[in-house]
Structures are given as C-alpha cells and as structure tokens.
Amino acid sequence: MPSTTRARVTALACAAALTLGLSACGQAPWAGLDSSASATPTSKPTITAITNDLSTGSAQRTLTAGDATLTVNYSSTLNMGEWTAGANKPVSFALSAALGTDDGQGVYLAKVTVNTAVTGPTGPLDPPEPFVDQSAVPTGYFMKAPWSYGQTYVMSAVDPSATSVTLSFTYELLIQTTPTSAAYSKQTASDQLTIAIAP
C-alpha cells in the first residue's frame, strides 16, 4: 500500500476512534441547566426569647395608687429550672405603702386578685382559677410602712405544652381621709409578672 494511502487510512481510524470516545461520554454535566435559575433561599425559624421576670429568683416593683406609693417584692422558693408545667409553683409577694401627703392616715389592703394567663407555642391555653384574698376585716389589712402585707400564691399544674405564664396582680387599697376619720378613699394598683415554664 502506498505511504500516502496508509497515512490517510490511519488518520480516518483515529478520527473514528475519537468520535466513538466522545459519543460514549454522554451528555455534558452542564447541558440542560437553566443559567437563569437561582437557588431559592430557605427561611430559618425565628427563635423568640421568653421573658422571665423571676429569672434571678426575685423582683421588686414600685407602683402608684393615688397618693400611695407601693413597694412590692416578689419571689419564689422553687428554682426556675423546676418551674415545670406539672409542678406546684409558689409565688410569694409582700407589699407596703407610703403616702405622699402623710398626716398619719392609715393605708389598708382590702383585696388582692391574681389572674393567670397561660401561653403555649401556638397561643393562649386554659388558665387556672383566679386567686383572690378578700380581707375579712372591714377596713382591710393594715399595710402602711413599716408594716406590710405578705401572701403566697401556689399555682397548680397547667397545660403540658405551656411555655410561660403571666400573673396579673390587682391591689385594692383603702386610705383614710384623715387620721381619725371613718371615711376612706379607694385606690387600685396593678402589676404583671411573666415567668417562663421549664421544659
């Protein structure tokens, strides 16, 4: 076979082998992709911190009721890590009053009410019954500083899915109009505590 013909046959054989090799590779990895497509970002869940007004075990508040200034101390003997839904959860509170215009009038607590709101991951849950301490004394409990009123509210078990509770306190006061008077003015003060429920 002449050398020119041999060279031509060799070239055709190489071309055929190259064509077969390329066709065996299949579709290129980037073929068929839409260059305009972009990755859809996924939203991350929002983590909401739960307020805990008793995170240190106690809290103090100053409230106003007419001419009276109330100092209220809240605390719990139960460690916050043990404030679970099924536990009995005690909250103690002590309050005393001072008058802005003090001529010696008495200050009395006629009634205290504690309403509890229970919250879970999806919203409100069934609350326990309100706690009420209505004074058996007609004028109420004497609470003018240095004297004070003290009480403990024990919250029973709440819904197992609860994540927090909010205690709403209402203090109803009777204040003498004069030191010797049998007439009293009524004043009301309100406060709230939100406490996290441990898992």
Side-chain angles (χ1 to χ4, degrees), residues 12-197:
L12 288 171
C14 288
L18 181 60
T19 301
L20 288 172
L22 290 175
S23 64
C25 292
Q27 189 177 24
W30 56 85
L33 293 180
D34 183 1
S35 60
S36 64
S38 59
T40 303
T42 56
S43 59
K44 295 182 179 179
T46 302
I47 299 175
T48 304
I50 298 174
T51 302
N52 192 344
D53 292 322
L54 286 185
S55 58
T56 62
S58 63
Q60 186 180 84
R61 301 283 176 78
T62 300
L63 311 175
T64 301
D67 192 42
T69 299
L70 306 182
T71 300
V72 190
N73 290 288
Y74 302 97
S75 63
S76 179
T77 55
L78 185 65
N79 184 285
M80 289 293 104
E82 297 175 357
W83 264 67
T84 59
N88 287 328
K89 299 165 280 293
V91 178
S92 297
F93 51 102
L95 64 154
S96 60
L99 294 175
T101 304
D102 192 346
D103 294 323
Q105 307 97 306
V107 182
Y108 304 86
L109 181 66
K111 183 180 180 182
V112 58
T113 305
V114 184
N115 287 292
T116 304
V118 184
T119 302
T122 59
L125 299 169
D126 290 337
E129 291 295 320
F131 170 82
V132 179
D133 185 5
Q134 174 78 56
S135 173
V137 182
T139 55
Y141 305 112
F142 188 74
M143 51 165 292
K144 184 178 178 182
W147 302 97
S148 64
Y149 165 91
Q151 184 61 273
T152 297
Y153 163 49
V154 179
M155 189 192 324
S156 57
V158 294
D159 191 292
S161 64
T163 55
S164 68
V165 293
T166 298
L167 308 181
S168 297
F169 297 82
T170 302
Y171 304 108
E172 298 179 26
L173 279 62
L174 293 176
I175 303 173
Q176 274 184 306
T177 54
T178 68
T180 57
S181 175
Y184 300 84
S185 66
K186 180 181 178 180
Q187 301 292 341
T188 302
S190 299
D191 198 12
Q192 282 191 338
L193 284 182
T194 297
I195 307 169
I197 297 296

